[in-house]
Amino acid sequence: MGRNSLRFVSLLLAWPSLLVAAPIAADEFRSPSLTALRIEWRAALDQLRSEINSRPQIAGDFIFAPRRSVPRYDPRAMPALVQLNAVSSRFFTGITRSPVPVLLPFDAAAYLDAQRSGAPATLALARYQADFNPVDMFDAGPAGYSATFSLEPGAGDGMPSRVYAKPVEVQITGSALLYDIADPAGGKGEPVKPLAATYPDLRRFIREGYVRYAFTRFGAAYVVSIQCLDSVARPRRLACKEAYPVAERFLKALRVAGGQRMRPLADVASNIIDRPAVRSPDFSYRPSGDIIPNTGYRKQGGHPDAMAYAQIRFPLEKAPAFVRSQSFGKRDKSEGPTAYPWRDNFCESRRFEVWQCGGGYGHQGEDIRAADCPSPGEGREPCDPKRRGVVAVRDAIVIRGAKDQAATLQVNSRTEHIRFRYMHMNPHAMNADGVLNGRIVTEGEKIGVISNYLDRPAGTSMHLHFDVQVFTRDGWIWVSPYVTLVSAYERLIRARGREIGPEIAVTAQPVAHALPEDVLKPDLREGAGGEQN
């Protein structure tokens, strides 16, 4: 058993202690802890050598230093990898920023062989990617990398006969950082026997609307996922079982495509976060998990989570702003939708799977509203309710296709691997502003305005849906953004809020994968990006 395996076993044995962190005051917040994996670059080089040597006609183009002479953490001693990066970076910009071996369905050896044989430069890249279309999104940074590919309807020899209504998107993330979250469903799944020889620890499972294939290679954690329905197929959506052959074709095609050996990352410890000392005379909020009564799945309560998963800029441009339910606000008789105190709505009942919520179903994020425009008057700034600014919460890369209603910002640094998703802004306006795949945004930069778009204008009320995902051994997992938003708002107004209301008891949160008949179903169309209220 290797050092990383022993490390993982020790974490599992210590899991109860992770669940019961050092006690803190009821209204204090913690930052998350992360585990840094140790990457085995020598094993990656051995695989690369095997892949290159299988094509003698190009093997001489690559130089492999003797294993014993490879200095630790010196990328100059790996010319074969340097040369591979030079080829791959033509298609995957920034691939050398990844501290983990980048596994992609890209056969660089076949590509070089074809180029040497005089193949036209215009030959479709999908030919060297097992029929998967050129990457729609690729991001590499200090924590790892993420990429998205697509398989067109009817593409791929030997694929199932059903013709899909739209391309099947396949996502892969490789990471050297894992968030340590108290996840009772984490690490489960079933083996995939046809791939066991290549991926000994591969496990397949359906979670939060995706079929996922998780495995460890070269010490890094990788997850391949496809959005699907854990039910019968529908005209516009794949059933998860239909996604299996697509994902497994993708896994069979994975090869080392690049990356760079770098200084190892360090574990990140959880700490109590600093908050403003000055008390706000106005801002108040109810505890995390205190949702409106009877609005959770099967009338269950919310999930208390005192974690501020990142130190972010608040997503609305200006205060005051209000985290309040837009679906069940009429049931909350205490205050209006644009008034304090804030109230958590992360676990309100929806058809979306959320591991933290009772029964496994919830909202996935929080509804945020801007204040009502004040009456015009002397000295008051003009206010247009349709022009309330939405800003980037961090320096990040945008993940968004031109047809997507959701815009996701991904942070990939030496201490974080986290995503923030925004919903209900007008997609046409986002297209016009260039809020698309690969766009780099800076913290505080305006990226849109609060809107009411849900498949169509006026599809919902005027609000912003905001949610957070962190990377774990099960892939990207939804976590409650409520405390993260409280903390961000306090920094925006430079004053500490006041928690009011009862304490919420911590209870076990089971996870379900079948869609129960009595889960509340808002009047939504199914579409890209998991649209929701």
Side-chain angles (χ1 to χ4, degrees):
M1 183 177 291
R3 181 174 59 180
N4 288 320
S5 299
L6 289 171
R7 179 185 183 86
F8 185 48
V9 169
S10 66
L11 279 173
L12 291 177
L13 293 174
W15 200 249
S17 64
L18 291 176
L19 296 177
V20 186
I24 60 175
D27 64 343
E28 296 292 352
F29 304 149
R30 277 193 173 276
S31 64
S33 66
L34 294 87
T35 295
L37 304 177
R38 299 298 180 259
I39 309 306
E40 301 163 2
W41 274 101
R42 286 187 177 181
L45 281 173
D46 285 345
Q47 178 166 321
L48 177 58
R49 179 185 290 107
S50 175
E51 293 172 359
I52 295 299
N53 288 342
S54 67
R55 295 181 180 272
Q57 61 271 38
I58 66 165
D61 295 344
F62 289 84
I63 303 171
F64 289 91
R67 288 188 58 172
R68 291 184 181 179
S69 68
V70 178
R72 209 173 186 185
Y73 318 132
D74 184 359
R76 293 173 298 178
M78 299 184 292
L81 186 57
V82 171
Q83 292 174 64
L84 177 63
N85 284 329
V87 175
S88 301
S89 60
R90 303 173 194 173
F91 314 108
F92 310 107
T93 304
I95 196 169
T96 57
R97 292 194 292 265
S98 174
V100 305
V102 177
L103 298 181
L104 298 175
F106 176 55
D107 191 341
Y111 172 79
L112 288 173
D113 189 14
Q115 297 301 301
R116 172 169 289 190
S117 302
T122 56
L123 200 62
L125 185 58
R127 176 175 177 175
Y128 311 107
Q129 295 183 166
D131 297 314
F132 288 93
N133 274 344
V135 66
D136 296 310
M137 190 284 295
F138 180 81
D139 171 52
Y145 77 97
S146 293
T148 303
F149 293 78
S150 62
L151 188 69
E152 292 291 335
D157 295 337
M159 296 302 292
S161 58
R162 181 188 178 209
V163 178
Y164 308 122
K166 58 182 181 179
V168 179
E169 288 194 349
V170 185
Q171 302 175 22
I172 182 170
T173 295
S175 186
L177 279 180
L178 298 177
Y179 281 74
D180 302 324
I181 58 177
D183 181 0
K188 298 180 180 179
E190 61 180 359
V192 184
K193 292 182 180 179
L195 297 175
T198 306
Y199 304 101
D201 67 343
L202 181 68
R203 53 191 174 86
R204 179 177 63 201
F205 52 98
I206 298 169
R207 189 149 196 214
E208 295 190 346
Y210 289 80
V211 59
R212 306 178 185 215
Y213 292 73
F215 60 97
T216 302
R217 178 66 67 85
F218 316 124
Y222 297 87
V223 179
V224 171
S225 59
I226 298 177
Q227 190 174 23
C228 59
L229 294 172
D230 189 15
S231 63
V232 297
R234 297 182 185 177
R236 298 178 64 237
R237 291 285 297 277
L238 282 176
C240 288
K241 288 186 176 180
E242 290 183 303
Y244 292 176
V246 179
E248 290 165 24
R249 179 186 186 88
F250 187 88
L251 284 158
K252 290 175 183 177
L254 289 179
R255 290 174 170 81
V256 176
Q260 190 76 283
R261 180 182 292 193
M262 299 180 186
R263 180 166 55 90
L265 302 179
D267 293 347
V268 178
S270 174
N271 292 298
I272 298 174
I273 67 169
D274 292 331
R275 299 168 67 188
V278 176
R279 292 279 181 174
S280 169
D282 305 311
F283 176 44
S284 61
Y285 59 93
R286 298 185 69 85
S288 170
D290 181 18
I291 64 175
I292 299 170
N294 300 320
T295 61
Y297 164 63
R298 290 184 177 174
K299 299 184 179 181
Q300 296 188 53
H303 176 84
D305 187 346
M307 196 72 71
Y309 287 94
Q311 301 298 291
I312 62 172
R313 202 276 189 203
F314 191 71
L316 267 58
E317 189 173 32
K318 297 180 180 180
F322 307 93
V323 174
R324 307 282 294 187
S325 171
Q326 74 90 30
S327 292
F328 299 101
K330 292 181 180 178
R331 297 194 189 183
D332 189 354
K333 305 299 182 182
S334 60
E335 301 288 350
T338 56
Y340 300 125
W342 283 11
R343 192 159 202 167
D344 191 356
N345 52 91
F346 176 69
C347 284
E348 287 183 348
S349 193
R350 298 290 196 282
R351 60 182 176 180
F352 309 109
E353 293 185 52
V354 187
W355 75 273
Q356 282 190 330
C357 298
Y361 288 89
H363 185 192
Q364 292 182 340
E366 302 286 352
D367 293 334
I368 309 174
R369 295 176 181 272
D372 295 330
C373 284
S375 301
E378 184 176 351
R380 292 198 179 99
E381 184 179 349
C383 177
D384 182 348
K386 296 183 179 180
R387 303 301 302 172
R388 303 299 185 85
V390 174
V391 299
V393 294
R394 293 287 293 280
D395 296 351
I397 188 171
V398 174
I399 302 174
R400 179 181 173 269
K403 296 181 180 180
D404 292 347
Q405 296 185 25
T408 297
L409 305 188
Q410 179 166 286
V411 176
N412 182 340
S413 73
R414 292 188 62 84
T415 57
E416 293 180 296
H417 209 177
I418 190 168
R419 289 175 172 176
F420 308 98
R421 187 175 65 164
Y422 300 67
M423 303 187 76
H424 304 314
M425 294 186 292
N426 188 310
H428 307 298
M430 287 192 285
N431 291 346
D433 292 340
V435 183
L436 294 162
N437 276 335
R439 163 90 173 266
I440 303 297
V441 295
T442 58
E443 183 174 319
E445 177 183 345
K446 188 173 180 179
I447 60 173
V449 296
I450 296 175
S451 188
N452 57 357
Y453 209 94
L454 185 66
D455 289 320
R456 55 184 172 80
T460 184
S461 65
M462 295 287 290
H463 74 283
L464 177 72
H465 172 99
F466 181 83
D467 54 46
V468 175
Q469 288 179 298
V470 297
F471 192 77
T472 73
R473 287 191 181 272
D474 280 5
W476 294 100
I477 296 294
W478 305 107
V479 290
S480 172
Y482 184 71
V483 167
T484 304
L485 289 170
V486 172
S487 176
Y489 194 69
E490 290 180 334
R491 287 191 297 277
L492 179 66
I493 64 174
R494 299 179 181 178
R496 183 167 177 155
R498 177 170 53 93
E499 182 180 287
I500 62 174
E503 297 295 328
I504 307 299
V506 177
T507 57
Q509 302 296 332
V511 176
H513 292 307
L515 182 62
E517 293 182 357
D518 60 347
V519 69
L520 294 172
K521 301 178 184 177
D523 183 18
L524 307 178
R525 284 173 46 205
E526 291 174 326
E531 291 80 16
Q532 55 189 280
N533 289 334

